[in-house]
Amino acid sequence: MKLLSIDYIPGAEIEVLGVVKGTIVQSKNIGRDFMAGMKTLVGGEIKGYTEMLIEARQLATKRMIDEAEELGADAVVGLRYGSSQVMDGAAEVLAYGTAVKITGTK
């Protein structure tokens, strides 16, 4: 599955199949919270949260790809990510784009 942040596939003719998305709500855990609190005292990257968000993006992307494959897509164009806090200690990560079928070359 090709994933592109641009809205087209260079050199290809495409048929738009529809918007696809994948989402996950990820919560923090007590161990990460404690270590993050300690890290805020000295500054620097909070690696536990970085790893948590990388994993959340990967899962959201996989869910989006699964939805695109169900439509028979060859690619997702216009790929974007978003995130928001849905409650204290939990964040949503969203991957979305347009599922397309490659129909030929230009």
Side-chain angles (χ1 to χ4, degrees):
M1 177 74 57
K2 293 181 184 213
L3 303 176
L4 294 98
S5 60
I6 57 177
D7 294 328
Y8 61 94
I9 300 173
E13 294 178 1
I14 58 175
E15 172 191 351
V16 174
L17 302 175
V19 174
V20 289
K21 78 279 178 215
T23 187
I24 182 170
V25 175
Q26 187 83 28
S27 65
K28 301 182 279 185
N29 68 41
I30 291 174
R32 282 188 178 146
D33 280 349
F34 176 75
M35 294 308 291
M38 298 302 291
K39 189 66 169 182
T40 60
L41 296 175
V42 296
E45 179 182 6
I46 302 172
K47 291 183 181 181
Y49 286 156
T50 299
E51 291 167 2
M52 179 185 75
L53 289 172
I54 288 169
E55 179 182 336
R57 275 191 300 276
Q58 289 171 339
L59 287 168
T61 301
K62 181 183 180 333
R63 290 175 181 177
M64 179 196 63
I65 290 169
D66 290 346
E67 191 172 304
E69 287 175 341
E70 287 178 14
L71 295 176
D74 299 312
V76 174
V77 297
L79 173 61
R80 302 287 185 268
Y81 290 98
S83 65
S84 63
Q85 182 177 347
V86 295
M87 60 182 280
D88 191 35
E92 175 192 34
V93 175
L94 170 69
Y96 62 97
T98 302
V100 299
K101 184 94 172 150
I102 298 172
T103 58
T105 58
K106 294 181 182 178

